Amino acid sequence: MKKIIFAFISASLASFHASATVVEIRTNMGSISVNLFDQDTPETVENFLEYVNSGGYANNVVHRLEPGFVVQAGGFTYNNELPLDTIATGTPVTNEPEFSNVRGTIAMAKQAENPDSATSQWFINLGDNSQNLDAQNGGFTVFGQVIGEGMSIIDEISELPRFNLGGAANSIPLIDFSADDAKNGKEPTEENFVLITDIVVTDSATVTNPDLNPTPNTQINNDDGDTPAPPSSGGSSGGSMNPLALIFMAVSAVVFRRKLNR
């Protein structure tokens, strides 16, 4: 009987903490597949998937580009007017700095001097940022890796011109938007943003892409404090996510997806 009860509890926990290993970040510049390190950074992956499953990343924008450094998203949406809207965020996740911030990895952004402050914002490393980010602020948690041809899309994004729209969007990449447009006071529209239409799970197997061999973080105890500005979650709120906010995010995602399918 004890074995049966234990098996039932284990199965229930497994279904509650379902490991979704591969997700697809769908953008208006192409789709990017990411293999999540759900076994090594479980809390971070679970946190990320809560936003994925609630539709929190639908209609999200890439709001920050630092060439040679990072492409950052996960915090803001565009709803036909500026400034960008901040998405609802949940309880910050515990830092899990197991792997190195090398090119092609996805990691969590967080607030300065607070290792356990990551909520919704994430970034993809454009280069080897291990010396900058593996130790700074407790180390930035790498929780997945871009696979397939995904980095070709990321590299295209990294080549876009950047503009200052104020606030957290002071280094935002825009499509078909020029310095003259900005000088003449033209406001960018939906077609100009790098838009994440959705992030979806494409493979929920417990183990996928076993050939991946992520680089371990060996810098975690060597922070010398002399580092460039890291990816920050800026004005993202802490505290628990309001259940009504989750419902609103889910409903908004459904409405937005319907618009895309028209």
Side-chain angles (χ1 to χ4, degrees):
M1 178 61 72
K2 289 182 178 180
K3 289 183 178 180
I4 293 175
I5 293 174
F6 178 78
F8 175 79
I9 293 174
S10 298
S12 298
L13 290 174
S15 62
F16 184 76
H17 297 289
S19 297
T21 309
V22 179
V23 297
E24 186 175 76
I25 303 172
R26 297 174 176 173
T27 82
N28 55 348
M29 292 186 66
S31 295
I32 303 152
S33 290
V34 177
N35 190 96
L36 304 179
F37 301 144
D38 50 286
Q39 294 181 324
D40 296 287
T41 56
E43 293 190 38
T44 304
V45 169
E46 182 178 4
N47 173 74
F48 179 77
L49 290 175
E50 286 179 358
Y51 291 99
V52 169
N53 294 329
S54 69
Y57 291 136
N59 203 27
N60 205 257
V61 298
V62 172
H63 69 272
R64 183 188 181 198
L65 163 63
E66 302 295 341
F69 186 37
V70 299
V71 167
Q72 186 170 338
F76 304 93
T77 59
Y78 175 70
N79 291 302
N80 299 316
E81 63 180 1
L82 294 174
L84 299 174
D85 291 335
T86 303
I87 74 168
T89 57
T91 303
V93 65
T94 301
N95 202 35
E96 298 175 302
E98 299 292 329
F99 298 121
S100 186
N101 284 267
V102 296
R103 173 176 164 80
T105 54
I106 183 171
M108 297 302 297
K110 54 187 173 180
Q111 296 177 5
E113 299 180 1
N114 190 347
D116 300 323
S117 60
T119 53
S120 67
Q121 292 191 40
W122 47 268
F123 61 92
I124 293 175
N125 287 292
L126 294 173
D128 184 350
N129 298 319
S130 57
Q131 295 298 315
N132 298 349
L133 303 181
D134 283 5
Q136 188 178 168
N137 195 8
F140 283 77
T141 297
V142 167
F143 64 98
Q145 181 174 327
V146 176
I147 57 176
E149 301 299 319
M151 282 307 292
S152 64
I153 304 298
I154 295 298
D155 287 337
E156 288 182 25
I157 295 172
S158 73
E159 294 172 359
L160 292 171
R162 297 176 293 159
F163 298 87
N164 185 353
L165 300 184
N170 60 11
S171 184
I172 189 170
L174 295 177
I175 304 167
D176 296 329
F177 198 84
S178 67
D180 285 340
D181 290 333
K183 183 178 179 180
N184 294 328
K186 180 180 178 181
E187 186 170 288
T189 63
E190 182 175 87
E191 290 74 21
N192 300 121
F193 291 98
V194 180
L195 184 67
I196 297 172
T197 56
D198 207 356
I199 301 180
V200 298
V201 175
T202 57
D203 192 337
S204 58
T206 302
V207 177
T208 56
N209 298 292
D211 55 317
L212 291 181
N213 187 25
T215 305
N217 182 347
T218 60
Q219 301 292 323
I220 190 62
N221 296 317
N222 298 319
D223 187 3
D224 59 9
D226 186 18
T227 53
S232 170
S233 58
S236 64
S237 63
S240 298
M241 184 179 289
N242 189 314
L244 291 177
L246 279 172
I247 295 172
F248 175 77
M249 288 163 65
V251 171
S252 299
V254 170
V255 171
F256 179 71
R257 288 165 182 158
R258 286 178 177 172
K259 288 183 179 179
L260 290 176
N261 291 327
R262 288 178 180 174

